[in-house]
């Protein structure tokens, strides 16, 4: 079948509207709150990192001195968002109108599989980077310094292209785990790979449009809200909190819509029933 991006978007928006009360609670806990806490508690560190952007040694020393909080908020926030993605997918992709508690319970059970798939994906990218690095090193030995510069540019472009292409192929991990009950990370990755095969260019274009819309909205909100707030309140805790709140709200809405879109893309490509697998709650 041919992928229909308009249908996926319209169905995603309709599902979000129909379940907005439950989704507001999930988005607030799993997307808005982590972003707000990170922006408040790491605001000073982020400002110092921006100030030291041209000073590599100073930046490295700053990161080393604050490695604990950075890792705690980074990894902790990522894990919380993983649960949020899965819980939203349960609400939007599984029949029977599950409660918030049921959605979170199922999401917690599926989180280890999502963590495993993410780690496997990261390892795969690192191995690809290593292989490309070997080719660049061999080319440098043959062609000299000019070849090394060209090889480095080719390696960077190749890695970026590989990351984008593979992220599209594995984009249906969350709905595959939730709607099909796949608890094995390898099986979920294989299922997403199979479903997106033959549809990668269309999916890439669709996802790119969504990203452009997100960046455009974020830029306009920053220009119309955050910049005036910083002028009124100046640099400080109040501005950091308000800026974090606005950014967190945008991120929460975007994450919910993203999961909704992925659920409907999965439903299209898998030709699954609209309500997913009823056996998930057996």
């Amino acid at each position: 079948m041919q992928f229909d991006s308009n249908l996926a978007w319209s169905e995603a928006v309709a599902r979000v509207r129909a379940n907005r009360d439950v989704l507001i609670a999930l988005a607030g806990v799993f997307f808005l709150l982590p972003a707000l806490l990170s922006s408040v508690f790491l605001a000073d560190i982020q400002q110092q990192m921006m100030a030291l952007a041209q000073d590599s040694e100073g930046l490295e020393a700053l990161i080393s001195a604050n490695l604990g909080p950075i890792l705690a908020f980074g990894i902790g926030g990522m894990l919380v968002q993983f649960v949020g993605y899965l819980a939203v997918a349960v609400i939007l992709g599984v029949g029977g109108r599950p409660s918030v508690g049921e959605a979170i319970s199922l999401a917690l059970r599926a989180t280890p599989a999502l963590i495993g798939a993410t780690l496997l994906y990261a390892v795969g990218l690192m191995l690809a980077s290593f292989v490309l690095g070997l080719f660049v090193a061999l080319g440098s030995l043959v062609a000299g310094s000019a070849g090394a510069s060209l090889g480095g540019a080719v390696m960077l472009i190749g890695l970026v292209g590989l990351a984008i292409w593979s992220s599209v192929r594995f984009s249906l991990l969350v709905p595959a785990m939730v709607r099909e009950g796949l608890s094995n990370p390898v099986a979920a990755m294989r299922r997403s790979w199979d479903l997106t095969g033959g549809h990668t260019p269309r999916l890439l274009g669709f996802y790119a449009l969504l990203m452009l819309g997100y960046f455009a909205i974020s830029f306009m909100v920053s220009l119309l809200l955050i910049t005036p707030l910083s002028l009124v309140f100046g640099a400080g805790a109040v501005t950091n909190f308000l800026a974090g709140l606005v950014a967190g709200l945008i991120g929460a809405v975007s994450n919910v819509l993203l999961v909704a879109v992925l659920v409907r893309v999965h439903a299209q490509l898998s030709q699954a029933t609209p309500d997913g697998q009823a056996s998930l709650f057996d």
Side-chain angles (χ1 to χ4, degrees):
M1 66 170 295
Q2 189 173 11
F3 171 64
D4 188 339
S5 59
N6 291 326
L7 178 61
W9 174 253
S10 61
E11 288 182 344
V13 172
R15 289 265 172 152
V16 170
R17 287 175 176 171
N19 298 275
R20 60 181 177 274
D21 294 337
V22 178
L23 293 175
I24 287 174
L26 291 175
V29 172
F30 293 103
F31 301 136
L32 174 58
L33 185 59
L36 186 58
L37 290 175
S38 177
S39 65
V40 170
F41 287 99
L42 296 181
D44 292 339
I45 298 175
Q46 292 172 351
Q47 291 176 359
Q48 294 178 53
M49 291 175 66
M50 292 178 64
L52 295 172
Q54 304 300 324
D55 183 3
S56 58
E57 293 184 0
L59 183 61
E60 183 178 350
L62 177 65
I63 294 175
S64 299
N66 298 275
L67 189 59
I70 293 173
L71 289 178
F73 279 99
I75 297 176
M78 181 185 67
L79 294 177
V80 170
Q81 287 192 342
F82 277 6
V83 179
Y85 293 142
L86 292 163
V88 171
V90 172
I91 296 296
L92 297 176
V94 175
R97 298 190 66 85
S99 65
V100 172
E102 290 173 326
I104 294 175
S105 176
L106 180 58
L108 289 172
R109 284 158 42 196
T111 298
L114 183 56
I115 294 173
T118 303
L119 292 175
L120 288 173
Y121 178 70
V123 170
L125 284 181
M126 285 190 293
L127 290 175
S129 175
F130 177 74
V131 172
L132 286 174
L134 287 179
F135 281 110
V136 170
L138 291 174
S140 300
L141 292 175
V142 175
S145 59
S149 300
L150 179 61
V154 171
M155 176 181 175
L156 179 60
I157 295 173
L159 283 175
V160 171
L162 177 62
I164 293 174
W165 173 74
S166 59
S167 65
V168 173
R169 297 302 303 269
F170 293 123
S171 62
L172 301 183
L173 272 174
V174 168
M177 290 176 179
V178 170
R179 303 189 83 241
E180 300 185 38
L182 299 177
S183 59
N184 186 309
V186 175
M189 295 177 76
R190 184 183 300 117
R191 179 58 172 163
S192 178
W193 186 275
D194 292 340
L195 289 175
T196 55
H199 305 281
T200 306
R202 285 179 174 273
L203 289 173
L204 177 58
F206 182 41
Y207 296 157
L209 286 175
L210 295 179
M211 289 297 295
L212 287 175
Y214 167 77
F215 286 129
I217 293 173
S218 298
F219 174 76
M220 292 303 298
V221 170
S222 176
L223 185 65
L224 298 176
L225 287 179
I226 298 178
T227 301
L229 287 173
S230 63
L231 293 176
V232 172
F233 295 103
V238 175
T239 301
N240 291 335
F241 177 80
L242 294 175
L245 179 61
V246 172
L249 287 171
I250 296 174
V253 174
S254 301
N255 283 329
V256 170
L257 286 173
L258 173 62
V259 176
V261 165
L262 295 179
V263 166
R264 299 323 305 163
V265 171
H266 174 271
Q268 268 196 51
L269 300 184
S270 65
Q271 297 182 340
T273 59
D275 292 331
Q277 286 196 2
S279 62
L280 287 173
F281 289 104
D282 291 347

